[in-house]
Amino acid sequence: MILLTGGAGYIGAHTAHYLVKEGIMPSDIVVFDNLVYGHESHLPKGVFFIKGDILNRDEIISAFKIHKISSVIHFAAYAYVGESMQNPYKYFHNNITGGLNLLETMKDFGCKYIVFSSTCAVYGIPNHIPITENETIKPINPYGESKAVFERLMRWYDEIYGMRFVSLRYFNASGADFGIGEAHDPETHLIPLAIRAVVSEDYTLNVFGDDYDTPDGTCIRDYVHVTDLADAHMKALQYLKDGRPSDCFNIGTSRGNSVKEIIDIIKDVCGKTPKYKISKRREGDPPRLIADSKKAQEILGWLPKKNIFDVVSSAYEWHKTNLEGVMR
Ligand SMILES: NC(=O)c1ccc[n+]([C@@H]2O[C@H](COP(=O)([O-])OP(=O)(O)OC[C@H]3O[C@@H](n4cnc5c(N)ncnc54)[C@H](O)[C@@H]3O)[C@@H](O)[C@H]2O)c1
């Protein structure tokens, strides 16, 4: 069975649906989530759900006792960069201590494969664009640091216990599929917030800085569709089961869009310009983050199929009928 920690969250729930669509029996999937941010209602029918916390080792042990878990996809984490600067302990505790509880339990139960939700935030402000996996790891916030530390912990569990891992360093996950979507509370991601600025009379999107060294002055990010991300997890699991070595892969489209370009695409898709205002830069926002995903393409055989219009239109389709997802 496959254990999805944090599997009731945005990317986890999409991955659960994708695995089922690709032929994995729902009864072979166990989702373990404390529901601080997840939604049990977003899960596909027939998967096992355990309300549990990775900070509580007994709860993880109990999941491994009930189910014969052979591999883990580890999504559970806190993921708000800004909050991590206010409260680093919260991030180090959940993302590192919680993750360590998971690794130790996996070791005790002889579970050898883990796919980990890492992030381009491990690179901080990169020296080269597009970013390859050889870029220096130098996070600029506790969130990115917590992910970089966990990657190092996994290396030692591999070295000492032969527990192999794939670390997927996601760029900006976005879009919607399977009748579910992005419903973070609070929401901090550009696309849902820009859609909020279309559908809500009293919300104005903040564009943080228009004086960056980019063609239109706004920051450029690599938006990867959540279903393409889900596919990367399936391919990573297969890679591990094929006996291949532990490794890290960037998961992005290798294309970037500026904030202003996203606003224009939203206008085209929704037929209305999101209300926005230019605010001052946020500390620590790199001007450009674009993946070089050649390694994932060559080694995992992963290729993103969806483009930025698919991302925005799928997000809009979901949000316009699920307004609670953006009206927080
Ligand atoms: N969304 C992105 O663009 C993005 C980019 C890079 C990396 N990531 C990483 O991907 C993963 C999933 O992100 P997401 O956007 O789906 O976030 P999310 O908040 O929707 O999902 C995380 C899930 O983990 C659960 N969780 C948190 N702490 C837990 C704990 N102690 N025990 C059990 N469950 C716990 C939450 O309830 C939530 O359901 C995270 O690890 C995040 O750091 C996300």
Side-chain angles (χ1 to χ4, degrees), residues 157-192:
Y157 273 74
D158 184 359
E159 174 92 19
I160 299 168
Y161 304 117
M163 184 188 294
R164 277 177 302 112
F165 70 86
V166 165
S167 186
L168 298 176
R169 295 177 180 156
Y170 316 156
F171 283 64
N172 289 48
S174 36
D177 206 346
F178 307 108
I180 58 172
E182 189 167 7
H184 292 121
D185 182 12
E187 187 56 75
T188 56
H189 294 140
L190 173 64
I191 292 174

Side-chain angles (χ1 to χ4, degrees), residues 21-43:
K21 179 178 154 246
E22 291 298 302
I24 292 183
M25 298 289 291
S27 55
D28 282 335
I29 298 173
V30 185
V31 167
F32 181 95
D33 196 303
N34 63 6
L35 297 182
V36 280
Y37 292 123
H39 308 272
E40 192 180 347
S41 61
H42 285 194
L43 294 174

Side-chain angles (χ1 to χ4, degrees), residues 109-262:
F109 282 81
C111 177
K112 294 281 186 197
Y113 307 134
I114 177 165
V115 176
F116 173 55
S117 298
S118 189
T119 163
C120 60
V122 298
Y123 300 118
I125 298 179
N127 297 315
H128 303 286
I129 299 288
I131 306 171
T132 70
E133 291 80 359
N134 296 327
E135 179 64 51
T136 319
I137 302 294
K138 46 171 173 36
I140 55 167
N141 49 62
Y143 167 65
E145 185 69 45
S146 72
K147 296 284 181 174
V149 168
F150 191 72
E151 286 192 355
R152 288 204 295 279
L153 299 184
M154 289 191 298
R155 283 184 203 287
W156 287 109
Y157 273 74
D158 184 359
E159 174 92 19
I160 299 168
Y161 304 117
M163 184 188 294
R164 277 177 302 112
F165 70 86
V166 165
S167 186
L168 298 176
R169 295 177 180 156
Y170 316 156
F171 283 64
N172 289 48
S174 36
D177 206 346
F178 307 108
I180 58 172
E182 189 167 7
H184 292 121
D185 182 12
E187 187 56 75
T188 56
H189 294 140
L190 173 64
I191 292 174
L193 290 179
I195 292 173
R196 183 190 296 180
V198 168
V199 297
S200 161
E201 284 305 314
D202 28 75
Y203 179 74
T204 302
L205 177 73
N206 270 312
V207 173
F208 296 108
D210 66 350
D211 55 354
Y212 285 94
D213 181 19
T214 59
D216 65 22
T218 62
C219 285
I220 294 176
R221 297 289 179 268
D222 182 334
Y223 296 91
V224 54
H225 195 283
V226 67
T227 309
D228 283 328
L229 261 187
D231 181 50
H233 293 80
M234 214 179 78
K235 292 194 157 62
L237 270 182
Q238 191 54 51
Y239 168 93
L240 289 173
K241 288 180 181 160
D242 289 344
R244 314 281 297 276
S246 296
D247 212 338
C248 303
F249 299 94
N250 287 342
I251 302 295
T253 63
S254 308
R255 287 170 201 280
N257 288 99
S258 71
V259 176
K260 282 194 176 157
E261 282 172 350
I262 295 291

